[in-house]
Amino acid sequence: MKKMENRTNPENFIHAADLRCSYRDENGNRQEILHGVSFDVARGEYVAILGHNGSGKSTLAKLINGILEPDGGTLVVAGKDLASPDVTDDDIYELRRQVGMVFQNPDNQLVATLVEEDVAFGPENLGVPTAEIRQRVDAALATVGMTDYARHEPHRLSGGQKQRVAIAGILAMEPSCMILDEATAMLDPAGRREVLSTVERLNREKGITLITITHYMNEAAHADRVIVLNDGKILLEGTPAEVFAEPEKLMAAGLDVPQCTALVHGLRASGAALEGEPVTIEECADLICRAWEEKRHGDRRA
Amino acid sequence: MATVALDHVTYIYGAGTPYEIKALDDVSLTVKSGTITGIIGHTGSGKSTMVQLLNGLEKPLSGKILLDGEDIWAKPKEMQKIRFRVGLVMQYPEYQLFEETVRADIAFGPKNMGLSDEEIEARVKDAAAFVGLDETLLNVSPFDLSGGQKRRAAIAGVMAMRPEVLVLDEPAAGLDPRGRDGILAGIRNYAAATGSTVIVVSHSMEDMAAFCDEIIVLAHAKVFLSGTRDEVFSHADALSSVGLDVPQITHLMSALRRRGLDVPEGIYTVEAAKEALRPLLE
């Protein structure tokens, strides 16, 4: 697989080299979860992380925003070396302001009794002046399309709306990066679309670095780049087309490919002349259509 | 084999308060005996309320829940018997594991049924086999299992009661594709071996299309659509109007039709799509 040009450059927003992390189990033994992982994420990039349950995806996310500490290797996020012994609490607070996380369960991350108070929670803790908090909250709610719900109770919102409020809460802290840790897993199809289109727009328009951890292969197909973790190591890395061109490796790692990609691979295996690796519905339709037209012309000539 | 039906069921949270929410509004439906029936619906459409009504965890404000034609609330003191016949696997059931070994956890339900030790052991083994949980794992603590294995153990605990109706609320949520396929195969094994009726709630249209015979669509506390899988997924626009969708492969087939390819409607799985396209490309 092609390596990205910006690889292993400490100037990148995230630079990880031989990164290791372990937990202590209940018997006090160290269990290593990440066995030396190296990758970079450029500022403004959109990266999807795939991997089976227990592959180390969430551990990686928690390292990036300082919830967990590395046990070895290098991890530089926003210019701070998190593996260094000199990391201070202030560094970690600044890191968490810059890297916001949205978790799986929409009911576990809203804390206030009104939507706007929930969004204000972050900037209040950062000591932002009151007038500016107001501006930030209003702007953040407008960005995620929840202005009309500012004075609603969060627990009465739909799952997709709750996740958008959680995203607004992060936006109000003016982050440079957002990590969605299976943030769409509990949502209905409309909720999934709402959340994804919101963060993808923030990535495009505001240049916020976006990292999505997901079990939905067709969500990963939207990203600029996909990193596949397997048992705490990187198995594959590349564009969605490059990664989904390896269905056997993905299946062996407990994963899958999007339905469109599975169809193209299946047709090719039974002899259809389909070249290329489409990952979206439109790309796939174009490819099949071209093959169909070529075959019709060929038949006519014959 | 049992038939489950709702007869004019209404359920309201916080009834009589200013915060009341109608979760089910005069819903009548019958789940066909011996089928795998999917329930889909937007968040808040009433799906989870409905599954909790089916085994008497919640009581309808009005209307009846019928099991083989009998009102399950006719004799409230005998509700435990109903719960042996209608087994409910709630969302994230692995959080409810509590015993010292996987075996003891799966045996908990059958033990409460007053079965003999041999019968309990046989049921534990069968249930573990249905969900593909290796027998060597029966002696370990459930807390030493992986996430996917814990989910299987929790589902096996309900299967061990041999319910005539097995109800599962989002059984594959949060699992990786292999874990998801394993759970769905386990449910299929149970249905095939016991002939039980299976009711599954899910947000994944792809899973529902690959897995269900029948589908019931709830929207805004009412039944919006119901029928065979093919009937329900043929209403793509209607599904999208209530926050749902058709499988990705079905969208692809529509995109091909728009480009002039003569592919049939009614394709909901990758396998069916392959069969339809092969003659056009070979």
Side-chain angles (χ1 to χ4, degrees):
Chain A
M1 197 139 300
K2 266 179 275 172
K3 292 198 170 175
M4 300 292 288
E5 284 166 25
N6 57 25
R7 212 180 146 84
T8 60
N9 177 355
E11 298 294 304
N12 275 320
F13 185 71
I14 299 172
H15 165 67
D18 195 29
L19 177 62
R20 291 169 188 274
C21 185
S22 54
Y23 290 96
R24 268 190 204 289
D25 64 18
E26 66 240 60
N27 305 321
N29 300 322
R30 281 208 170 274
Q31 298 279 351
E32 196 172 77
I33 304 292
L34 289 177
H35 313 293
V37 165
S38 304
F39 67 95
D40 277 21
V41 176
R43 270 183 197 278
E45 210 183 353
Y46 176 7
V47 176
I49 301 180
L50 298 176
H52 60 81
N53 292 108
S55 61
K57 306 184 299 289
S58 295
T59 300
L60 190 56
K62 287 174 184 161
L63 285 165
I64 295 170
N65 92 333
I67 296 175
L68 294 175
E69 287 176 26
D71 291 315
T74 309
L75 177 62
V76 181
V77 180
K80 272 282 164 221
D81 181 0
L82 301 179
S84 140
D86 308 331
V87 177
T88 64
D89 284 352
D90 285 346
D91 291 337
I92 296 293
Y93 293 142
E94 171 57 15
L95 177 70
R96 292 194 188 142
R97 183 194 68 74
Q98 284 210 43
V99 180
M101 281 187 76
V102 186
F103 296 95
Q104 185 176 134
N105 191 335
D107 293 322
N108 291 352
Q109 43 194 330
L110 302 181
V111 292
T113 49
L114 289 179
V115 163
E116 61 180 15
E117 288 171 1
D118 202 276
V119 177
F121 184 80
E124 271 170 5
N125 280 324
L126 295 171
V128 174
T130 312
E132 194 187 333
I133 291 178
R134 180 78 257 168
Q135 284 171 4
R136 287 195 190 187
V137 168
D138 291 346
L141 284 172
T143 306
V144 301
M146 290 293 290
T147 302
D148 291 347
Y149 295 85
R151 302 196 56 78
H152 283 230
E153 296 172 44
H155 70 93
R156 296 170 72 89
L157 304 175
S158 75
Q161 289 172 330
K162 283 177 191 164
Q163 294 297 57
R164 283 191 285 153
V165 171
I167 293 166
I170 294 169
L171 280 180
M173 294 192 282
E174 304 189 332
S176 18
C177 174
M178 270 193 207
I179 304 179
L180 273 64
D181 190 357
E182 292 191 55
T184 62
M186 297 181 75
L187 305 182
D188 59 36
R192 286 208 289 271
R193 277 195 298 270
E194 267 172 40
V195 168
L196 272 187
S197 64
T198 302
V199 291
E200 286 171 2
R201 184 163 43 79
L202 292 169
N203 170 254
R204 251 186 346 261
E205 294 174 2
K206 294 189 190 281
I208 292 178
T209 307
L210 179 58
I211 298 176
T212 58
I213 295 174
T214 181
H215 285 315
Y216 289 111
M217 302 300 131
N218 41 7
E219 287 186 8
H222 292 222
D224 300 327
R225 191 154 58 97
V226 178
I227 295 174
V228 182
L229 281 179
N230 186 39
D231 296 335
K233 288 183 181 155
I234 292 181
L235 176 73
L236 290 170
E237 184 184 351
T239 62
E242 287 167 345
V243 166
F244 291 130
E246 308 265 9
E248 292 84 10
K249 280 189 188 167
L250 290 167
M251 304 266 189
L255 301 173
D256 210 346
V257 296
Q259 286 196 324
C260 282
T261 315
L263 174 68
V264 168
H265 293 160
L267 288 169
R268 195 182 288 146
S270 63
L274 293 168
E275 275 175 39
E277 285 298 335
V279 290
T280 67
I281 292 171
E282 292 305 313
E283 288 167 10
C284 184
D286 286 342
L287 177 65
I288 291 174
C289 197
R290 263 200 313 277
W292 170 64
E293 278 169 359
E294 277 166 23
K295 175 161 184 308
R296 269 198 317 178
H297 291 306
D299 288 353
R300 233 176 271 153
R301 274 196 295 274
Chain B
M1 221 178 284
T3 305
V4 188
L6 274 69
D7 180 21
H8 294 287
V9 169
T10 295
Y11 188 90
I12 298 175
Y13 287 99
T17 73
Y19 304 107
E20 66 172 43
I21 296 175
K22 219 176 236 183
L24 289 175
D25 184 5
D26 192 27
V27 169
S28 296
L29 60 89
T30 303
V31 176
K32 281 191 195 150
S33 171
T35 60
I36 296 183
T37 293
I39 300 179
I40 58 178
H42 59 82
T43 324
S45 60
K47 304 183 300 293
S48 292
T49 305
M50 191 176 131
V51 298
Q52 290 171 34
L53 284 163
L54 291 178
N55 82 337
L57 277 185
E58 302 277 2
K59 191 178 179 185
L61 194 70
S62 61
K64 288 177 189 163
I65 310 294
L66 302 170
L67 183 60
D68 281 340
E70 293 195 26
D71 182 356
I72 65 168
W73 285 95
K75 295 176 190 153
K77 283 186 182 154
E78 294 186 12
M79 189 51 84
Q80 194 181 24
K81 281 187 193 155
I82 299 293
R83 296 203 178 122
F84 295 147
R85 296 181 62 198
V86 182
L88 173 59
V89 179
M90 292 199 242
Q91 284 181 19
Y92 298 88
E94 60 274 24
Y95 295 147
Q96 301 173 34
L97 295 168
F98 66 99
E99 280 281 10
E100 284 184 10
T101 64
V102 172
R103 171 179 274 106
D105 219 300
I106 300 177
F108 184 75
K111 215 173 247 176
N112 282 338
M113 298 172 82
L115 300 174
S116 70
D117 286 351
E118 292 111 72
E119 176 67 16
I120 292 173
E121 179 61 14
R123 288 198 176 195
V124 168
K125 284 189 172 155
D126 284 352
F130 288 140
V131 297
L133 209 56
D134 196 90
E135 254 186 55
T136 55
L137 292 176
L138 291 175
N139 296 322
V140 309
S141 161
F143 303 102
D144 288 338
L145 300 180
S146 73
Q149 288 168 336
K150 278 185 197 164
R151 181 80 57 90
R152 287 168 197 234
I155 294 175
V158 176
M159 288 177 174
M161 294 190 286
R162 292 279 166 80
E164 298 156 66
V165 182
L166 177 64
V167 186
L168 306 105
D169 194 355
E170 298 260 20
L175 295 184
D176 59 46
R178 182 191 289 156
R180 173 201 67 202
D181 291 345
I183 294 284
L184 296 181
I187 299 168
R188 222 182 257 127
N189 291 341
Y190 178 79
T194 62
S196 297
T197 305
V198 174
I199 299 173
V200 184
V201 174
S202 172
H203 278 320
S204 166
M205 303 300 124
E206 285 80 11
D207 290 354
M208 290 287 96
F211 187 65
C212 295
D213 308 310
E214 301 272 323
I215 290 178
I216 295 168
V217 184
L218 295 180
H220 308 296
K222 288 185 177 288
V223 174
F224 178 73
L225 280 173
S226 73
T228 63
R229 175 201 66 175
D230 290 12
E231 283 162 4
V232 166
F233 280 127
S234 69
H235 297 283
D237 292 342
L239 288 171
S240 139
S241 76
V242 292
L244 300 175
D245 209 341
V246 292
Q248 190 192 33
I249 202 76
T250 309
H251 284 298
L252 173 64
M253 293 298 119
S254 310
L256 289 173
R257 271 196 299 280
R258 282 197 299 275
R259 286 165 172 75
L261 261 74
D262 182 24
V263 288
E265 309 225 2
I267 287 184
Y268 308 113
T269 61
V270 174
E271 276 311 307
K274 232 186 285 176
E275 290 312 311
L277 287 172
R278 217 175 261 157
L280 295 175
L281 297 176
E282 279 165 20

